[in-house]
Amino acid sequence: MTMTAQPELAGRIQAAVVATPGVRSVYRAGSLISNLVGESAVAVGINRDDEPLVSVRMGDAGVLVEASLGIEYSAGAAKTLRAVRRAVGEALGAEGLTTAEIVLTIAYVHPREASSD
């Protein structure tokens, strides 16, 4: 399956993810190696540093969305992930797009004392 990146759509999806209750932050999606390459590209001026942190790629079967999240301690991981999946699906549906896959990773859980209860 051929995949093409969608930076404008990624920005809209990222906004939906950040607006989801329980999500405190979004980190660059992808492996450590791809993140190092991406940061290097920004440093030498090949890529911009304001590009979305959420990865969105269009393929034959639909849209693949990948995001790494920082969530509230008190929000509950499963509940937050379900809400983020729903928000991503709704955002894609509003664009008339089909979801192929949503890959979410919890990269950080904000400690209880840093979370709003």
Side-chain angles (χ1 to χ4, degrees):
M1 167 176 26
T2 302
M3 301 294 275
T4 57
Q6 300 290 317
E8 299 81 22
L9 178 58
R12 292 191 294 276
I13 298 297
Q14 181 172 319
V17 170
V18 170
T20 303
V23 174
R24 287 271 304 262
S25 51
V26 178
Y27 303 100
R28 187 162 308 282
S31 68
L32 175 61
I33 298 297
S34 68
N35 282 325
L36 287 173
V37 170
E39 290 300 318
S40 299
V42 169
V44 297
I46 296 171
N47 287 349
R48 297 180 5 219
D49 63 352
D50 64 345
E51 290 180 351
L53 301 174
V54 173
S55 170
V56 176
R57 296 186 308 266
M58 193 77 79
D60 299 333
V63 180
L64 169 65
V65 176
E66 192 174 352
S68 295
L69 311 172
I71 66 167
E72 294 278 348
Y73 174 85
S74 60
K79 180 180 176 183
T80 302
L81 291 175
R82 280 192 300 272
V84 170
R85 284 185 182 283
R86 190 170 38 256
V88 169
E90 289 171 359
L92 290 174
E95 301 275 339
L97 298 170
T98 303
T99 304
E101 188 174 7
I102 300 172
V103 178
L104 302 173
T105 303
I106 296 175
Y108 186 74
V109 177
H110 291 270
R112 178 186 301 266
E113 54 275 359
S115 296
S116 58
D117 289 328

